[in-house]
Amino acid sequence: MRNGEMGLGSGAGGAGSGSGSGQQGGARGPWEQALAQLDEAALAIGLEDDLREILRQPKRCLVVSVPVRMDDGSIRVFEGYRVHHNLARGPAKGGIRYHPAVTLEEVAALAMWMTWKCAVVGIPYGGAKGGVVVDPRELSRGELERLTRRYASEILPFIGPEQDIPAPDVGTDEQVMAWIMDTYSMNVGHSVPAVVTGKPVSIGGSLGRAAATARGAVYTLLAHLRAEGESPVGKTAVIQGFGNVGGWGARLLAREGFRVVAVSDSKGGVYNPSGLDPEAVLAHKREAGTVASFPGGDAVSGEELLELEADVLMPAALEGQIHEGNASKVRARVVLEGANGPTTPEADAILEERGVTVLPDILANAGGVVVSYFEWVQDLQAYFWTEEEVNQKLRRVMEGAYLDVRGRAEEKGWRFRLAAMALAVGRVAEAMRIRGLYP
Ligand code: NAD
């Protein structure tokens, strides 16, 4: 089926078609954003038109209906997706998102970004992503489990340890991964830990996986500062989003000597120029359900937070947060993309012109998939590593990838995103050429 029929055409299914992003009306949605980034990289490396055309489409998109018996006895039907973008370099890998604004085009964009992410850090996977249109906070635990098990059953023909290995993303966690692992295992009749990553350690998860995305981002930032001859101590950081990536990001940045001056979640933010204690903010969020009412600082809106004076701005929420309308107001010197697709191509150009360094998502937040890869390798071997080993290997991969990207950026005079994309697209294209076109 062609993308136009799937609503993934360059216009029809575009922005605003519901992605949870903060993009302004008329702006491009994540799928068009991903295509624009691919086109720019393809042009920069002189990619053949036919390969570019293949890469501009997802390999396959599965749309599933997920009926769930609710606690009150009624049945609600949710829509779910699983998209494989490109599998030239290995099995499909990518998270599953539960969010009310999930769309097929958003999931497809996230799958394409996974293809580049795995390539840029050199792990042997292709790109995938999944999602269900649901607000998980509105479901009871029983409803969430039934939704997850039914969604897992519906995508069962797509997934497997040698085919496609899901992981957590926005709105899903290690418990959701445990239910998917169990559902898959029950269907095949034996335990298959390697079918998902980001599982609890007790059933084959990896030590270090929970913090891995943020840890990888921090390693990338530290490698960047080192290359620039700068120290992290006393530098200020602002973080948007306080879930897995943002919450761990705040804690790990503080441990490295950064002063975390502002954080936010979907309900609002808190700002204290003298610094916030991320552990105290986390404890408050557990109690109150949000960081916004944290007493140790002043309330700040989501928009204001992005425009605060800081050395580092770490978007760690959703796509399209830094856009044409606010990019000129970003006062941070470095944007560390914990989220996927937080900066639109228009904003990217504005930030470049203003001398703001963007450490791009496909590099900066790759730590999650790198440790997911380590988890999968450990599961397949049934031999587990210490957390120290995991973190050391992660550090080596992230520093190596940063230096590769920096080298390409310096050689060509490109910004980091274009250098990372060029490296990634080049590696995927090389795999496609060597494998040849079937049949
Ligand atoms: P999560 O569900 O744990 O947390 C998301 C956070 O963003 C929550 O605190 C939520 O309140 C907040 N948020 C939502 N809308 C917001 C808004 N408009 N303003 C401010 N905050 C807002 O999700 P996560 O796993 O931390 O993922 C965050 C981002 O990182 C996503 O883009 C995801 O794709 C990306 N990512 C996650 C991983 C991973 O391993 N979890 C890996 C790579 C990339």
Side-chain angles (χ1 to χ4, degrees):
M1 197 179 281
R2 288 189 57 80
N3 291 335
E5 294 164 31
M6 298 296 297
L8 292 178
S10 56
S17 61
S19 96
S21 75
Q23 270 160 289
Q24 301 193 320
R28 292 191 272 195
W31 177 245
E32 289 178 288
Q33 184 177 326
L35 286 181
Q37 292 167 349
L38 166 60
D39 288 346
E40 186 194 18
L43 190 68
I45 64 170
L47 183 71
E48 305 92 300
D49 282 348
D50 49 6
L51 290 189
R52 188 179 71 108
E53 208 39 51
I54 296 172
L55 289 169
R56 288 181 106 260
Q57 327 252 353
K59 176 181 172 67
R60 38 174 97 106
C61 304
L62 181 63
V63 180
V64 297
S65 156
V66 187
V68 178
R69 175 86 58 197
M70 307 303 282
D71 291 344
D72 66 3
S74 67
I75 291 175
R76 267 182 75 186
V77 184
F78 299 88
E79 186 159 291
Y81 314 103
R82 187 74 187 166
V83 174
H84 293 171
H85 171 254
N86 181 284
L87 308 185
R89 299 182 61 261
K93 189 88 189 77
I96 291 174
R97 179 172 292 192
Y98 287 177
H99 191 279
V102 162
T103 61
L104 177 58
E105 67 120 24
E106 178 185 48
V107 174
L110 290 160
M112 186 191 282
W113 287 324
M114 286 306 298
T115 303
W116 313 139
K117 194 179 299 184
C118 295
V120 88
V121 292
I123 56 174
Y125 288 134
K129 205 80 181 190
V132 178
V133 188
V134 60
D135 185 346
R137 292 171 304 186
E138 286 175 0
L139 303 189
S140 69
R141 187 181 161 91
E143 290 167 342
L144 191 66
E145 178 173 354
R146 292 193 290 281
L147 170 95
T148 298
R149 289 185 180 279
R150 182 61 186 251
Y151 168 69
S153 305
E154 295 296 343
I155 65 166
L156 207 83
F158 255 39
I159 64 173
E162 292 175 344
Q163 282 169 268
D164 175 3
I165 306 105
D169 190 72
V170 174
T172 57
D173 58 13
E174 62 173 29
Q175 175 62 73
V176 171
M177 295 306 115
W179 289 325
I180 295 176
M181 180 273 206
D182 185 68
T183 302
Y184 184 90
S185 299
M186 286 298 138
N187 273 272
V188 299
H190 58 273
S191 287
V192 188
V195 68
V196 289
T197 57
K199 302 177 289 295
V201 171
S202 56
I203 54 167
S206 177
L207 294 169
R209 174 60 183 87
T213 304
R215 193 180 297 279
V218 172
Y219 286 156
T220 308
L221 177 63
L222 293 177
H224 175 68
L225 292 178
R226 207 174 314 121
E228 297 286 322
E230 292 182 38
S231 153
V233 178
K235 288 211 159 42
T236 52
V238 164
I239 301 174
Q240 182 200 41
F242 208 74
N244 175 285
V245 181
W248 274 109
R251 281 177 279 172
L252 295 175
L253 284 171
R255 282 182 212 167
E256 292 296 337
F258 288 86
R259 189 151 40 97
V260 177
V261 294
V263 298
S264 70
D265 59 28
S266 58
K267 298 198 177 110
V270 56
Y271 172 55
N272 183 341
S274 317
L276 298 161
D277 172 2
E279 299 291 350
V281 178
L282 192 72
H284 179 81
K285 186 172 166 86
R286 280 201 197 105
E287 283 278 303
T290 174
V291 301
S293 52
F294 182 67
D298 299 326
V300 65
S301 74
E303 263 306 294
E304 288 164 346
L305 176 125
L306 295 171
E307 298 165 12
L308 290 172
E309 179 100 44
D311 294 298
V312 179
L313 169 62
M314 182 181 191
L318 294 165
E319 302 92 60
Q321 299 298 305
I322 305 175
H323 47 71
E324 205 170 4
N326 63 8
S328 60
K329 299 183 202 146
V330 168
R331 285 192 283 165
R333 294 168 47 230
V334 174
V335 174
L336 178 66
E337 292 189 333
N340 287 307
T343 310
T344 67
E346 294 79 9
D348 221 26
I350 295 168
L351 294 177
E352 183 182 19
E353 203 178 289
R354 296 182 52 234
V356 178
T357 300
V358 178
L359 295 172
D361 46 9
I362 59 168
L363 171 68
N365 71 36
V369 76
V370 169
V371 176
S372 273
Y373 166 59
F374 295 161
E375 180 174 333
W376 180 74
V377 167
Q378 292 171 79
D379 288 339
L380 293 177
Q381 299 178 340
Y383 179 70
F384 291 87
W385 312 342
T386 64
E387 185 163 1
E388 202 185 6
E389 273 176 284
V390 170
N391 291 344
Q392 266 174 8
K393 289 185 201 316
L394 171 64
R395 181 171 210 137
R396 216 174 302 138
V397 172
M398 297 309 297
E399 288 178 354
Y402 171 80
L403 292 174
D404 280 354
V405 170
R406 187 182 177 93
R408 178 64 69 96
E410 283 177 347
E411 179 198 334
K412 299 283 187 181
W414 290 340
R415 66 195 195 288
F416 284 115
R417 185 181 322 274
L418 178 55
M421 281 293 296
L423 268 176
V425 174
R427 286 174 184 165
V428 174
E430 186 188 340
M432 290 168 74
R433 280 186 217 107
I434 290 172
R435 286 180 61 159
L437 183 66
Y438 179 85

